[in-house]
């Protein structure tokens, strides 16, 4: 039965779908080294905490339309990768006036850190300036070595009230676990992206996706492996299967891994943000945002990618 099941999935999945001198001297040296190491570790923890606080304060300032605080937290040459917003801090602050006028409100659901990158999952309400009353978004912020907000990427999609799985686009666990497994989990996600979503070995889907639980937050797909199979079958019948062509970045914190890729869907070039939750070396939950990549009337030339 497993063989038939995998064969069926393979048939349906055609490109779907990251430590001597004298004893006394030695003891003294070890003690000194240990003290230095402890101080370094402590400083790293303090830096991480302070940096997360910086990002949280930045989000709060955006929400409250507080330009003064924003200027204290971000560089004047703030690099913008949203294709509709000019690069630079002044241009970003000017946009806040439009959001305030429309009473556009930001609620952050998840925030994770990978080095100097922070990836955020949130919902915007009264978001007509972005295209709809409610929008779901992923935002990425890079913080420089001085602890200043330096760069921004994002993608957004419309909120869907009724989804195939009955789950919303933002619900589910919000805190990371297994922080020592970040790199292992990145490799699992990368394998899934290459084998399944880039179509190299789609029959390997059960190597990556749990057959016991797979909570789906894409509004068009049901839970589980069966949900994926049904979605692929339908999209294939419509000659509208998504195709991933390049993986630009993987960011992770423990069991949460975010991939940023590009490809084609609906006969247009798209950016794919996919957030996965990993458990026992298998993918058990998925959220995503898909946004068309514009080619005309661009407000900056930084592209939606170009990660350092």
């Amino acid at each position: 039965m497993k063989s038939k099941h995998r064969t069926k999935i393979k048939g349906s999945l055609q490109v779907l779908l990251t430590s001597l001198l004298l004893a006394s001297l030695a003891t003294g040296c070890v003690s000194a080294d240990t003290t230095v190491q402890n101080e370094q570790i402590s400083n790293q923890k303090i830096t991480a905490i302070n940096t997360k606080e910086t990002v949280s304060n930045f989000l709060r300032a955006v929400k409250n339309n507080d330009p003064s605080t924003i200027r204290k937290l971000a560089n004047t040459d703030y690099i913008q990768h949203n294709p509709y917003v000019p690069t630079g801090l002044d241009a970003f602050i000017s946009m806040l006036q439009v959001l305030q006028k429309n009473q556009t409100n930001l609620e952050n659901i998840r925030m994770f850190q990978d080095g100097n990158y922070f990836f955020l999952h949130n919902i915007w309400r009264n978001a007509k300036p972005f295209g709809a009353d409610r929008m779901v978004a992923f935002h990425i912020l890079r913080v420089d070595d001085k602890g200043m907000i330096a760069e921004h990427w994002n993608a957004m999609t419309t909120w869907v009230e009724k989804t195939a799985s009955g789950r919303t686009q933002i619900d589910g666990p919000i805190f990371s676990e297994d922080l020592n497994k970040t790199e292992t989990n990145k490799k699992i996600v990368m394998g899934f992206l290459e084998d399944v979503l880039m179509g190299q070995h789609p029959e390997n889907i059960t190597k990556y996706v749990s057959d016991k639980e797979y909570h789906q937050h894409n509004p068009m797909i049901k839970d589980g492996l069966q949900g994926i199979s049904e979605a692929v079958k339908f999209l294939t019948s419509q000659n509208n299967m998504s195709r991933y062509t390049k993986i630009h970045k993987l960011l992770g914190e423990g069991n949460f891994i975010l991939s940023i890729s590009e490809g084609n869907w609906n006969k247009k070039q798209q950016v794919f943000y996919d957030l996965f939750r990993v458990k026992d070396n298998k993918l058990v939950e998925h959220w995503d945002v898909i946004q068309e990549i514009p080619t005309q009337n661009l407000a900056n030339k930084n592209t939606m990618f170009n990660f350092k």
Side-chain angles (χ1 to χ4, degrees):
M1 293 298 293
K2 290 185 178 179
S3 176
K4 293 181 179 180
H5 183 61
R6 292 182 180 177
T7 300
K8 182 179 179 181
I9 293 173
K10 177 179 179 180
S12 298
L13 290 163
Q14 293 295 322
V15 282
L16 174 60
L17 310 144
T18 142
S19 192
L20 282 170
L21 296 177
L22 297 172
S24 59
L25 288 177
T27 302
C29 289
V30 170
S31 177
D33 287 345
T34 302
T35 300
V36 171
Q37 291 173 359
N38 287 340
E39 289 178 351
Q40 291 174 341
I41 293 172
S42 179
N43 288 337
Q44 290 172 359
K45 290 181 179 179
I46 292 172
T47 299
I49 293 171
N50 288 344
T51 306
K52 277 198 170 184
E53 185 178 356
T54 295
V55 173
S56 295
N57 289 339
F58 181 79
L59 293 177
R60 188 177 301 109
V62 171
K63 178 179 179 179
N64 297 333
N65 187 21
D66 181 1
S68 177
T69 298
I70 291 174
R71 293 186 187 280
K72 293 176 182 178
L73 300 175
N75 291 330
T76 56
D77 59 349
Y78 175 80
I79 303 171
Q80 180 63 257
H81 292 271
N82 184 317
Y84 301 110
V85 181
T87 200
L89 192 59
D90 287 338
F92 175 72
I93 290 176
S94 296
M95 183 193 72
L96 298 182
Q97 298 175 7
V98 177
L99 302 185
Q100 185 179 44
K101 181 179 179 180
N102 287 271
Q103 298 183 321
T104 305
N105 186 269
L106 168 67
E107 179 187 357
N108 193 61
I109 308 301
R110 297 172 179 84
M111 178 170 71
F112 305 108
Q113 179 178 6
D114 187 341
N116 61 340
Y117 286 97
F118 291 80
F119 51 108
L120 319 167
H121 191 195
N122 47 50
I123 182 170
W124 292 85
R125 295 184 175 87
N126 300 322
K128 290 184 178 179
F130 299 141
D133 184 60
R134 279 191 288 180
M135 301 286 287
V136 179
F138 283 105
H139 292 268
I140 299 172
L141 293 171
R142 181 178 65 84
V143 176
D144 66 17
D145 294 338
K146 296 181 180 180
M148 299 288 285
I149 307 292
E151 199 163 4
H152 168 258
W153 300 258
N154 78 306
M156 309 182 78
T157 192
T158 304
W159 173 270
V160 176
E161 199 67 44
K162 186 177 181 180
T163 66
S165 68
R167 305 177 189 278
T168 74
Q169 292 155 279
I170 59 172
D171 64 354
I174 61 175
F175 299 113
S176 62
E177 301 175 348
D178 302 327
L179 299 183
N180 61 322
K181 295 184 66 175
T182 299
E183 295 307 314
T184 297
N185 291 334
K186 280 185 179 181
K187 292 178 181 178
I188 294 170
V189 170
M190 180 62 81
F192 175 74
L193 293 170
E194 293 178 338
D195 278 3
V196 179
L197 299 187
M198 297 184 78
Q200 295 180 9
H201 298 284
E203 69 275 11
N204 287 343
I205 186 169
T206 54
K207 175 181 176 181
Y208 305 105
V209 179
S210 172
D211 59 359
K212 298 178 181 179
E213 62 170 327
Y214 188 69
H215 299 171
Q216 180 63 256
H217 298 270
N218 179 302
M220 299 188 300
I221 306 176
K222 297 178 182 178
D223 282 350
L225 281 166
Q226 185 62 32
I228 297 176
S229 179
E230 290 178 3
V232 172
K233 183 177 181 179
F234 173 76
L235 291 172
T236 300
S237 71
Q238 301 296 307
N239 194 27
N240 195 28
M241 176 56 61
S242 59
R243 182 178 182 87
Y244 285 56
T245 57
K246 186 174 182 178
I247 303 164
H248 285 269
K249 192 72 174 178
L250 281 184
L251 298 171
E253 181 182 294
N255 62 332
F256 280 90
I257 309 295
L258 176 70
S259 67
I260 303 93
S261 312
E262 70 174 303
N264 300 286
W265 185 54
N266 278 336
K267 299 179 180 180
K268 296 179 180 179
Q269 198 73 0
Q270 309 278 354
V271 56
F272 299 94
Y273 276 65
D274 292 281
L275 179 65
F276 298 94
R277 182 169 64 88
V278 186
K279 179 181 178 182
D280 298 329
N281 298 319
K282 290 291 184 77
L283 307 181
V284 297
E285 196 154 11
H286 170 251
W287 303 258
D288 69 344
V289 161
I290 305 172
Q291 180 184 322
E292 180 183 345
I293 302 174
T295 58
Q296 298 179 344
N297 302 317
L298 303 180
N300 65 71
K301 298 181 180 180
N302 299 323
T303 81
M304 297 184 74
F305 307 104
N306 199 19
F307 293 91
K308 298 184 186 303

